[in-house]
Amino acid sequence: MPELPEVETVRRGLAPSLEGARIVRLDQNRPDLRFPFPPDFKARLEGRTITALSRRSKYLLADLDSGDVLVMHLGMSGSFRVEADIEHTPGAFALARSKDPKHDHIVFHLKTTKSTDARVIYNDPRRFGFMTLVPRPELSSHPLFVNLGLEPLGNALDGETLSRLFAGKTTSLKAALLNQKLIAGLGNIYVCEALWRTGLNPARQAGSIAGKTGRATAKTTALAAHIRDTLQEAIEAGGSSLRDHTQADGSLGYFQHNFAVYDREGEPCRREGCTGTIARIVQSNRSTFHCPKCQR
């Protein structure tokens, strides 16, 4: 499943083509993806102008001049392909994305802000992604968004916030960080990496690093900073491959070369002075990679 940095690099890659563009025509090649499309999906999109493209958690949000928001989720295998002056696949994915036309389920025919024609194609072999339309005033109360936690980028995530969120929680640090009701958009890869950077064991209780009065502790302050830094570095790595289109097949940008623990089971720990070996454990049916020696 694409994580926040991958979705954000998709947003950045799509923005030049989508923002300000008018949807001249929409090809809807099937009635559903993971969920059925709204019955008037095509009619509500054709002729509309996309005024902004944003992200909330792992969702892409395209604001339309009609007041609707086109909500898009990539699922496990979804991707967008832009056909304009240069064909490219915006994103930073661990596995190459499909270009098989039989999986091109939605095609946006656009007139861009430069009065040029472009096509943005949504391809999804496994069809776990989805799209829907939500009126902007109803977005925050929509079932997809009403229970989402705070965004992990920016100043809202700090040591005091983590202490407040984790106070009294006996669940593991890994589970707490993946709880989308607490923090929106964090996924398995970057949680593993941030916990390694902070020197925290993913299996320890979340409440054990929180201040008793909800105040920030050294551990929550460090973890918040490492979460933000890890995500931002991953976004910039994906963005680098988008800017010069060297990763036009949609493969992961450069951040995979910086993985300290993820998918490195049995390899030496990269922390200076640590002689530990990266181990893999299973938490909630997901692989967790960590160094048992330096992560406490």
Side-chain angles (χ1 to χ4, degrees), residues 17-49:
S17 298
L18 288 185
E19 288 190 325
R22 182 168 60 90
I23 304 172
V24 177
R25 189 174 89 249
L26 182 83
D27 295 339
Q28 181 182 334
N29 297 324
R30 58 177 303 110
D32 59 7
L33 291 170
R34 182 177 177 184
F35 309 117
F37 290 104
D40 53 352
F41 186 71
K42 177 180 170 73
R44 288 169 68 183
L45 285 172
E46 288 186 333
R48 308 288 14 143
T49 296

PDB file of all heavy atoms in Angstrom, residues 17-49:
ATOM      1  N   SER A  17      -0.349  19.216 -14.213  1.00  0.00           N
ATOM      2  CA  SER A  17      -1.316  18.873 -15.253  1.00  0.00           C
ATOM      3  C   SER A  17      -2.751  19.114 -14.815  1.00  0.00           C
ATOM      4  O   SER A  17      -3.599  19.517 -15.621  1.00  0.00           O
ATOM      5  CB  SER A  17      -1.162  17.394 -15.662  1.00  0.00           C
ATOM      6  OG  SER A  17       0.110  17.142 -16.204  1.00  0.00           O
ATOM      7  N   LEU A  18      -3.052  18.883 -13.530  1.00  0.00           N
ATOM      8  CA  LEU A  18      -4.436  18.927 -13.068  1.00  0.00           C
ATOM      9  C   LEU A  18      -4.884  20.299 -12.581  1.00  0.00           C
ATOM     10  O   LEU A  18      -6.014  20.723 -12.860  1.00  0.00           O
ATOM     11  CB  LEU A  18      -4.653  17.892 -11.954  1.00  0.00           C
ATOM     12  CG  LEU A  18      -4.665  16.419 -12.358  1.00  0.00           C
ATOM     13  CD1 LEU A  18      -5.010  15.556 -11.153  1.00  0.00           C
ATOM     14  CD2 LEU A  18      -5.663  16.159 -13.483  1.00  0.00           C
ATOM     15  N   GLU A  19      -4.060  20.992 -11.837  1.00  0.00           N
ATOM     16  CA  GLU A  19      -4.506  22.245 -11.230  1.00  0.00           C
ATOM     17  C   GLU A  19      -4.794  23.293 -12.307  1.00  0.00           C
ATOM     18  O   GLU A  19      -3.942  23.598 -13.132  1.00  0.00           O
ATOM     19  CB  GLU A  19      -3.473  22.761 -10.232  1.00  0.00           C
ATOM     20  CG  GLU A  19      -3.424  21.933  -8.960  1.00  0.00           C
ATOM     21  CD  GLU A  19      -2.585  22.537  -7.864  1.00  0.00           C
ATOM     22  OE1 GLU A  19      -1.563  23.174  -8.191  1.00  0.00           O
ATOM     23  OE2 GLU A  19      -2.947  22.369  -6.694  1.00  0.00           O
ATOM     24  N   GLY A  20      -6.003  23.801 -12.281  1.00  0.00           N
ATOM     25  CA  GLY A  20      -6.433  24.789 -13.260  1.00  0.00           C
ATOM     26  C   GLY A  20      -6.938  24.209 -14.562  1.00  0.00           C
ATOM     27  O   GLY A  20      -7.411  24.951 -15.437  1.00  0.00           O
ATOM     28  N   ALA A  21      -6.846  22.900 -14.721  1.00  0.00           N
ATOM     29  CA  ALA A  21      -7.268  22.268 -15.966  1.00  0.00           C
ATOM     30  C   ALA A  21      -8.782  22.044 -15.980  1.00  0.00           C
ATOM     31  O   ALA A  21      -9.404  21.844 -14.941  1.00  0.00           O
ATOM     32  CB  ALA A  21      -6.546  20.935 -16.154  1.00  0.00           C
ATOM     33  N   ARG A  22      -9.358  22.056 -17.188  1.00  0.00           N
ATOM     34  CA  ARG A  22     -10.774  21.745 -17.365  1.00  0.00           C
ATOM     35  C   ARG A  22     -10.907  20.317 -17.872  1.00  0.00           C
ATOM     36  O   ARG A  22     -10.177  19.890 -18.768  1.00  0.00           O
ATOM     37  CB  ARG A  22     -11.419  22.717 -18.355  1.00  0.00           C
ATOM     38  CG  ARG A  22     -12.922  22.495 -18.551  1.00  0.00           C
ATOM     39  CD  ARG A  22     -13.537  23.658 -19.302  1.00  0.00           C
ATOM     40  NE  ARG A  22     -12.935  23.828 -20.612  1.00  0.00           N
ATOM     41  CZ  ARG A  22     -13.384  23.230 -21.725  1.00  0.00           C
ATOM     42  NH1 ARG A  22     -14.423  22.410 -21.672  1.00  0.00           N
ATOM     43  NH2 ARG A  22     -12.778  23.459 -22.880  1.00  0.00           N
ATOM     44  N   ILE A  23     -11.811  19.566 -17.272  1.00  0.00           N
ATOM     45  CA  ILE A  23     -12.056  18.185 -17.697  1.00  0.00           C
ATOM     46  C   ILE A  23     -13.000  18.231 -18.897  1.00  0.00           C
ATOM     47  O   ILE A  23     -14.215  18.393 -18.758  1.00  0.00           O
ATOM     48  CB  ILE A  23     -12.654  17.346 -16.554  1.00  0.00           C
ATOM     49  CG1 ILE A  23     -11.740  17.394 -15.317  1.00  0.00           C
ATOM     50  CG2 ILE A  23     -12.867  15.903 -17.003  1.00  0.00           C
ATOM     51  CD1 ILE A  23     -12.348  16.761 -14.082  1.00  0.00           C
ATOM     52  N   VAL A  24     -12.432  18.109 -20.082  1.00  0.00           N
ATOM     53  CA  VAL A  24     -13.213  18.186 -21.314  1.00  0.00           C
ATOM     54  C   VAL A  24     -14.077  16.944 -21.475  1.00  0.00           C
ATOM     55  O   VAL A  24     -15.255  17.021 -21.837  1.00  0.00           O
ATOM     56  CB  VAL A  24     -12.281  18.350 -22.532  1.00  0.00           C
ATOM     57  CG1 VAL A  24     -13.082  18.370 -23.833  1.00  0.00           C
ATOM     58  CG2 VAL A  24     -11.435  19.610 -22.379  1.00  0.00           C
ATOM     59  N   ARG A  25     -13.489  15.795 -21.170  1.00  0.00           N
ATOM     60  CA  ARG A  25     -14.223  14.522 -21.292  1.00  0.00           C
ATOM     61  C   ARG A  25     -13.661  13.528 -20.296  1.00  0.00           C
ATOM     62  O   ARG A  25     -12.482  13.580 -19.950  1.00  0.00           O
ATOM     63  CB  ARG A  25     -14.097  13.967 -22.715  1.00  0.00           C
ATOM     64  CG  ARG A  25     -15.012  12.776 -22.982  1.00  0.00           C
ATOM     65  CD  ARG A  25     -14.987  12.324 -24.422  1.00  0.00           C
ATOM     66  NE  ARG A  25     -13.943  11.338 -24.689  1.00  0.00           N
ATOM     67  CZ  ARG A  25     -12.868  11.554 -25.424  1.00  0.00           C
ATOM     68  NH1 ARG A  25     -12.669  12.742 -25.989  1.00  0.00           N
ATOM     69  NH2 ARG A  25     -11.956  10.606 -25.606  1.00  0.00           N
ATOM     70  N   LEU A  26     -14.511  12.645 -19.834  1.00  0.00           N
ATOM     71  CA  LEU A  26     -14.085  11.582 -18.924  1.00  0.00           C
ATOM     72  C   LEU A  26     -14.471  10.242 -19.515  1.00  0.00           C
ATOM     73  O   LEU A  26     -15.635  10.022 -19.875  1.00  0.00           O
ATOM     74  CB  LEU A  26     -14.745  11.755 -17.552  1.00  0.00           C
ATOM     75  CG  LEU A  26     -14.323  10.718 -16.506  1.00  0.00           C
ATOM     76  CD1 LEU A  26     -13.001  11.135 -15.859  1.00  0.00           C
ATOM     77  CD2 LEU A  26     -15.389  10.554 -15.433  1.00  0.00           C
ATOM     78  N   ASP A  27     -13.501   9.355 -19.645  1.00  0.00           N
ATOM     79  CA  ASP A  27     -13.788   7.975 -20.042  1.00  0.00           C
ATOM     80  C   ASP A  27     -13.856   7.123 -18.784  1.00  0.00           C
ATOM     81  O   ASP A  27     -12.870   6.994 -18.058  1.00  0.00           O
ATOM     82  CB  ASP A  27     -12.688   7.434 -20.959  1.00  0.00           C
ATOM     83  CG  ASP A  27     -12.613   8.170 -22.288  1.00  0.00           C
ATOM     84  OD1 ASP A  27     -13.625   8.804 -22.660  1.00  0.00           O
ATOM     85  OD2 ASP A  27     -11.544   8.125 -22.931  1.00  0.00           O
ATOM     86  N   GLN A  28     -15.016   6.562 -18.523  1.00  0.00           N
ATOM     87  CA  GLN A  28     -15.214   5.669 -17.377  1.00  0.00           C
ATOM     88  C   GLN A  28     -15.411   4.266 -17.945  1.00  0.00           C
ATOM     89  O   GLN A  28     -16.447   3.952 -18.500  1.00  0.00           O
ATOM     90  CB  GLN A  28     -16.428   6.111 -16.561  1.00  0.00           C
ATOM     91  CG  GLN A  28     -16.685   5.257 -15.338  1.00  0.00           C
ATOM     92  CD  GLN A  28     -17.936   5.701 -14.584  1.00  0.00           C
ATOM     93  OE1 GLN A  28     -18.338   6.855 -14.642  1.00  0.00           O
ATOM     94  NE2 GLN A  28     -18.554   4.754 -13.888  1.00  0.00           N
ATOM     95  N   ASN A  29     -14.397   3.425 -17.805  1.00  0.00           N
ATOM     96  CA  ASN A  29     -14.373   2.144 -18.502  1.00  0.00           C
ATOM     97  C   ASN A  29     -14.932   0.978 -17.713  1.00  0.00           C
ATOM     98  O   ASN A  29     -14.912  -0.157 -18.185  1.00  0.00           O
ATOM     99  CB  ASN A  29     -12.936   1.834 -18.940  1.00  0.00           C
ATOM    100  CG  ASN A  29     -12.422   2.873 -19.924  1.00  0.00           C
ATOM    101  OD1 ASN A  29     -13.182   3.371 -20.748  1.00  0.00           O
ATOM    102  ND2 ASN A  29     -11.146   3.206 -19.831  1.00  0.00           N
ATOM    103  N   ARG A  30     -15.417   1.231 -16.501  1.00  0.00           N
ATOM    104  CA  ARG A  30     -16.066   0.202 -15.703  1.00  0.00           C
ATOM    105  C   ARG A  30     -16.946   0.890 -14.653  1.00  0.00           C
ATOM    106  O   ARG A  30     -16.744   2.063 -14.333  1.00  0.00           O
ATOM    107  CB  ARG A  30     -15.059  -0.743 -15.063  1.00  0.00           C
ATOM    108  CG  ARG A  30     -14.032  -0.101 -14.172  1.00  0.00           C
ATOM    109  CD  ARG A  30     -13.136  -1.145 -13.522  1.00  0.00           C
ATOM    110  NE  ARG A  30     -13.898  -2.118 -12.753  1.00  0.00           N
ATOM    111  CZ  ARG A  30     -14.059  -3.395 -13.108  1.00  0.00           C
ATOM    112  NH1 ARG A  30     -13.510  -3.869 -14.201  1.00  0.00           N
ATOM    113  NH2 ARG A  30     -14.765  -4.229 -12.362  1.00  0.00           N
ATOM    114  N   PRO A  31     -17.909   0.176 -14.095  1.00  0.00           N
ATOM    115  CA  PRO A  31     -18.828   0.801 -13.136  1.00  0.00           C
ATOM    116  C   PRO A  31     -18.273   0.927 -11.726  1.00  0.00           C
ATOM    117  O   PRO A  31     -18.840   1.625 -10.903  1.00  0.00           O
ATOM    118  CB  PRO A  31     -20.043  -0.126 -13.154  1.00  0.00           C
ATOM    119  CG  PRO A  31     -19.470  -1.476 -13.486  1.00  0.00           C
ATOM    120  CD  PRO A  31     -18.345  -1.192 -14.451  1.00  0.00           C
ATOM    121  N   ASP A  32     -17.157   0.234 -11.449  1.00  0.00           N
ATOM    122  CA  ASP A  32     -16.658   0.233 -10.084  1.00  0.00           C
ATOM    123  C   ASP A  32     -15.162  -0.022 -10.053  1.00  0.00           C
ATOM    124  O   ASP A  32     -14.558  -0.451 -11.031  1.00  0.00           O
ATOM    125  CB  ASP A  32     -17.371  -0.842  -9.246  1.00  0.00           C
ATOM    126  CG  ASP A  32     -17.196  -2.244  -9.825  1.00  0.00           C
ATOM    127  OD1 ASP A  32     -16.419  -2.436 -10.793  1.00  0.00           O
ATOM    128  OD2 ASP A  32     -17.844  -3.179  -9.327  1.00  0.00           O
ATOM    129  N   LEU A  33     -14.576   0.289  -8.917  1.00  0.00           N
ATOM    130  CA  LEU A  33     -13.223  -0.146  -8.574  1.00  0.00           C
ATOM    131  C   LEU A  33     -13.376  -0.939  -7.284  1.00  0.00           C
ATOM    132  O   LEU A  33     -14.066  -1.957  -7.272  1.00  0.00           O
ATOM    133  CB  LEU A  33     -12.290   1.063  -8.424  1.00  0.00           C
ATOM    134  CG  LEU A  33     -11.977   1.808  -9.725  1.00  0.00           C
ATOM    135  CD1 LEU A  33     -11.250   3.115  -9.452  1.00  0.00           C
ATOM    136  CD2 LEU A  33     -11.157   0.934 -10.655  1.00  0.00           C
ATOM    137  N   ARG A  34     -12.780  -0.497  -6.201  1.00  0.00           N
ATOM    138  CA  ARG A  34     -13.039  -1.164  -4.926  1.00  0.00           C
ATOM    139  C   ARG A  34     -14.504  -0.982  -4.520  1.00  0.00           C
ATOM    140  O   ARG A  34     -15.118  -1.872  -3.946  1.00  0.00           O
ATOM    141  CB  ARG A  34     -12.116  -0.602  -3.850  1.00  0.00           C
ATOM    142  CG  ARG A  34     -12.265  -1.266  -2.491  1.00  0.00           C
ATOM    143  CD  ARG A  34     -11.262  -0.685  -1.499  1.00  0.00           C
ATOM    144  NE  ARG A  34     -11.417  -1.252  -0.187  1.00  0.00           N
ATOM    145  CZ  ARG A  34     -10.715  -0.846   0.878  1.00  0.00           C
ATOM    146  NH1 ARG A  34      -9.815   0.109   0.735  1.00  0.00           N
ATOM    147  NH2 ARG A  34     -10.900  -1.398   2.055  1.00  0.00           N
ATOM    148  N   PHE A  35     -15.038   0.199  -4.809  1.00  0.00           N
ATOM    149  CA  PHE A  35     -16.443   0.515  -4.573  1.00  0.00           C
ATOM    150  C   PHE A  35     -17.050   1.018  -5.875  1.00  0.00           C
ATOM    151  O   PHE A  35     -16.327   1.491  -6.762  1.00  0.00           O
ATOM    152  CB  PHE A  35     -16.593   1.599  -3.489  1.00  0.00           C
ATOM    153  CG  PHE A  35     -15.849   1.320  -2.222  1.00  0.00           C
ATOM    154  CD1 PHE A  35     -14.821   2.148  -1.803  1.00  0.00           C
ATOM    155  CD2 PHE A  35     -16.167   0.212  -1.441  1.00  0.00           C
ATOM    156  CE1 PHE A  35     -14.118   1.893  -0.626  1.00  0.00           C
ATOM    157  CE2 PHE A  35     -15.475  -0.047  -0.260  1.00  0.00           C
ATOM    158  CZ  PHE A  35     -14.450   0.791   0.138  1.00  0.00           C
ATOM    159  N   PRO A  36     -18.369   0.971  -6.028  1.00  0.00           N
ATOM    160  CA  PRO A  36     -18.994   1.542  -7.231  1.00  0.00           C
ATOM    161  C   PRO A  36     -18.745   3.042  -7.315  1.00  0.00           C
ATOM    162  O   PRO A  36     -18.686   3.741  -6.292  1.00  0.00           O
ATOM    163  CB  PRO A  36     -20.488   1.239  -7.032  1.00  0.00           C
ATOM    164  CG  PRO A  36     -20.540   0.111  -6.059  1.00  0.00           C
ATOM    165  CD  PRO A  36     -19.359   0.301  -5.145  1.00  0.00           C
ATOM    166  N   PHE A  37     -18.597   3.548  -8.527  1.00  0.00           N
ATOM    167  CA  PHE A  37     -18.554   4.987  -8.722  1.00  0.00           C
ATOM    168  C   PHE A  37     -19.935   5.568  -8.422  1.00  0.00           C
ATOM    169  O   PHE A  37     -20.949   4.883  -8.567  1.00  0.00           O
ATOM    170  CB  PHE A  37     -18.171   5.321 -10.168  1.00  0.00           C
ATOM    171  CG  PHE A  37     -16.749   5.001 -10.522  1.00  0.00           C
ATOM    172  CD1 PHE A  37     -16.449   3.887 -11.282  1.00  0.00           C
ATOM    173  CD2 PHE A  37     -15.710   5.808 -10.099  1.00  0.00           C
ATOM    174  CE1 PHE A  37     -15.140   3.581 -11.620  1.00  0.00           C
ATOM    175  CE2 PHE A  37     -14.395   5.522 -10.431  1.00  0.00           C
ATOM    176  CZ  PHE A  37     -14.108   4.397 -11.192  1.00  0.00           C
ATOM    177  N   PRO A  38     -20.003   6.835  -8.009  1.00  0.00           N
ATOM    178  CA  PRO A  38     -21.313   7.470  -7.877  1.00  0.00           C
ATOM    179  C   PRO A  38     -22.077   7.365  -9.196  1.00  0.00           C
ATOM    180  O   PRO A  38     -21.465   7.428 -10.275  1.00  0.00           O
ATOM    181  CB  PRO A  38     -20.968   8.922  -7.537  1.00  0.00           C
ATOM    182  CG  PRO A  38     -19.599   8.874  -6.961  1.00  0.00           C
ATOM    183  CD  PRO A  38     -18.896   7.753  -7.654  1.00  0.00           C
ATOM    184  N   PRO A  39     -23.386   7.209  -9.172  1.00  0.00           N
ATOM    185  CA  PRO A  39     -24.139   7.006 -10.407  1.00  0.00           C
ATOM    186  C   PRO A  39     -24.011   8.144 -11.404  1.00  0.00           C
ATOM    187  O   PRO A  39     -24.131   7.940 -12.603  1.00  0.00           O
ATOM    188  CB  PRO A  39     -25.591   6.847  -9.919  1.00  0.00           C
ATOM    189  CG  PRO A  39     -25.602   7.383  -8.526  1.00  0.00           C
ATOM    190  CD  PRO A  39     -24.240   7.160  -7.982  1.00  0.00           C
ATOM    191  N   ASP A  40     -23.761   9.371 -10.931  1.00  0.00           N
ATOM    192  CA  ASP A  40     -23.615  10.518 -11.819  1.00  0.00           C
ATOM    193  C   ASP A  40     -22.168  10.991 -11.903  1.00  0.00           C
ATOM    194  O   ASP A  40     -21.899  12.170 -12.146  1.00  0.00           O
ATOM    195  CB  ASP A  40     -24.513  11.660 -11.349  1.00  0.00           C
ATOM    196  CG  ASP A  40     -24.276  12.008  -9.869  1.00  0.00           C
ATOM    197  OD1 ASP A  40     -23.530  11.267  -9.205  1.00  0.00           O
ATOM    198  OD2 ASP A  40     -24.844  13.018  -9.398  1.00  0.00           O
ATOM    199  N   PHE A  41     -21.242  10.073 -11.699  1.00  0.00           N
ATOM    200  CA  PHE A  41     -19.817  10.398 -11.623  1.00  0.00           C
ATOM    201  C   PHE A  41     -19.341  11.143 -12.866  1.00  0.00           C
ATOM    202  O   PHE A  41     -18.766  12.235 -12.776  1.00  0.00           O
ATOM    203  CB  PHE A  41     -19.032   9.100 -11.437  1.00  0.00           C
ATOM    204  CG  PHE A  41     -17.561   9.280 -11.209  1.00  0.00           C
ATOM    205  CD1 PHE A  41     -17.085   9.805 -10.017  1.00  0.00           C
ATOM    206  CD2 PHE A  41     -16.643   8.903 -12.176  1.00  0.00           C
ATOM    207  CE1 PHE A  41     -15.726   9.964  -9.792  1.00  0.00           C
ATOM    208  CE2 PHE A  41     -15.278   9.053 -11.957  1.00  0.00           C
ATOM    209  CZ  PHE A  41     -14.820   9.585 -10.768  1.00  0.00           C
ATOM    210  N   LYS A  42     -19.576  10.592 -14.028  1.00  0.00           N
ATOM    211  CA  LYS A  42     -19.100  11.185 -15.279  1.00  0.00           C
ATOM    212  C   LYS A  42     -19.723  12.566 -15.510  1.00  0.00           C
ATOM    213  O   LYS A  42     -19.016  13.528 -15.838  1.00  0.00           O
ATOM    214  CB  LYS A  42     -19.446  10.237 -16.436  1.00  0.00           C
ATOM    215  CG  LYS A  42     -19.089  10.720 -17.825  1.00  0.00           C
ATOM    216  CD  LYS A  42     -19.507   9.664 -18.853  1.00  0.00           C
ATOM    217  CE  LYS A  42     -19.409  10.188 -20.268  1.00  0.00           C
ATOM    218  NZ  LYS A  42     -17.995  10.310 -20.707  1.00  0.00           N
ATOM    219  N   ALA A  43     -21.021  12.689 -15.289  1.00  0.00           N
ATOM    220  CA  ALA A  43     -21.716  13.957 -15.534  1.00  0.00           C
ATOM    221  C   ALA A  43     -21.238  15.060 -14.597  1.00  0.00           C
ATOM    222  O   ALA A  43     -21.174  16.237 -14.989  1.00  0.00           O
ATOM    223  CB  ALA A  43     -23.225  13.758 -15.392  1.00  0.00           C
ATOM    224  N   ARG A  44     -20.920  14.714 -13.356  1.00  0.00           N
ATOM    225  CA  ARG A  44     -20.487  15.716 -12.389  1.00  0.00           C
ATOM    226  C   ARG A  44     -19.039  16.168 -12.610  1.00  0.00           C
ATOM    227  O   ARG A  44     -18.609  17.177 -12.038  1.00  0.00           O
ATOM    228  CB  ARG A  44     -20.656  15.186 -10.965  1.00  0.00           C
ATOM    229  CG  ARG A  44     -22.113  15.104 -10.529  1.00  0.00           C
ATOM    230  CD  ARG A  44     -22.282  14.327  -9.235  1.00  0.00           C
ATOM    231  NE  ARG A  44     -21.709  15.006  -8.073  1.00  0.00           N
ATOM    232  CZ  ARG A  44     -21.704  14.470  -6.846  1.00  0.00           C
ATOM    233  NH1 ARG A  44     -22.239  13.259  -6.641  1.00  0.00           N
ATOM    234  NH2 ARG A  44     -21.167  15.138  -5.838  1.00  0.00           N
ATOM    235  N   LEU A  45     -18.293  15.431 -13.424  1.00  0.00           N
ATOM    236  CA  LEU A  45     -16.896  15.785 -13.678  1.00  0.00           C
ATOM    237  C   LEU A  45     -16.695  16.490 -15.017  1.00  0.00           C
ATOM    238  O   LEU A  45     -15.878  17.415 -15.112  1.00  0.00           O
ATOM    239  CB  LEU A  45     -16.022  14.533 -13.628  1.00  0.00           C
ATOM    240  CG  LEU A  45     -15.739  13.972 -12.231  1.00  0.00           C
ATOM    241  CD1 LEU A  45     -15.033  12.623 -12.321  1.00  0.00           C
ATOM    242  CD2 LEU A  45     -14.896  14.935 -11.414  1.00  0.00           C
ATOM    243  N   GLU A  46     -17.404  16.074 -16.030  1.00  0.00           N
ATOM    244  CA  GLU A  46     -17.183  16.649 -17.357  1.00  0.00           C
ATOM    245  C   GLU A  46     -17.559  18.134 -17.378  1.00  0.00           C
ATOM    246  O   GLU A  46     -18.613  18.538 -16.879  1.00  0.00           O
ATOM    247  CB  GLU A  46     -17.973  15.882 -18.415  1.00  0.00           C
ATOM    248  CG  GLU A  46     -17.395  14.515 -18.700  1.00  0.00           C
ATOM    249  CD  GLU A  46     -18.070  13.792 -19.844  1.00  0.00           C
ATOM    250  OE1 GLU A  46     -19.263  14.064 -20.103  1.00  0.00           O
ATOM    251  OE2 GLU A  46     -17.416  12.943 -20.477  1.00  0.00           O
ATOM    252  N   GLY A  47     -16.657  18.941 -17.922  1.00  0.00           N
ATOM    253  CA  GLY A  47     -16.867  20.373 -18.000  1.00  0.00           C
ATOM    254  C   GLY A  47     -16.404  21.141 -16.786  1.00  0.00           C
ATOM    255  O   GLY A  47     -16.380  22.377 -16.803  1.00  0.00           O
ATOM    256  N   ARG A  48     -16.013  20.445 -15.723  1.00  0.00           N
ATOM    257  CA  ARG A  48     -15.593  21.098 -14.486  1.00  0.00           C
ATOM    258  C   ARG A  48     -14.108  21.453 -14.551  1.00  0.00           C
ATOM    259  O   ARG A  48     -13.315  20.804 -15.243  1.00  0.00           O
ATOM    260  CB  ARG A  48     -15.828  20.209 -13.271  1.00  0.00           C
ATOM    261  CG  ARG A  48     -17.202  19.645 -13.102  1.00  0.00           C
ATOM    262  CD  ARG A  48     -18.314  20.550 -12.699  1.00  0.00           C
ATOM    263  NE  ARG A  48     -18.205  21.986 -12.745  1.00  0.00           N
ATOM    264  CZ  ARG A  48     -19.227  22.768 -13.094  1.00  0.00           C
ATOM    265  NH1 ARG A  48     -20.384  22.243 -13.460  1.00  0.00           N
ATOM    266  NH2 ARG A  48     -19.091  24.071 -13.074  1.00  0.00           N
ATOM    267  N   THR A  49     -13.737  22.498 -13.806  1.00  0.00           N
ATOM    268  CA  THR A  49     -12.343  22.910 -13.690  1.00  0.00           C
ATOM    269  C   THR A  49     -11.806  22.492 -12.325  1.00  0.00           C
ATOM    270  O   THR A  49     -12.499  22.644 -11.310  1.00  0.00           O
ATOM    271  CB  THR A  49     -12.207  24.437 -13.852  1.00  0.00           C
ATOM    272  OG1 THR A  49     -12.604  24.794 -15.180  1.00  0.00           O
ATOM    273  CG2 THR A  49     -10.774  24.891 -13.616  1.00  0.00           C
TER     274      THR A  49
END
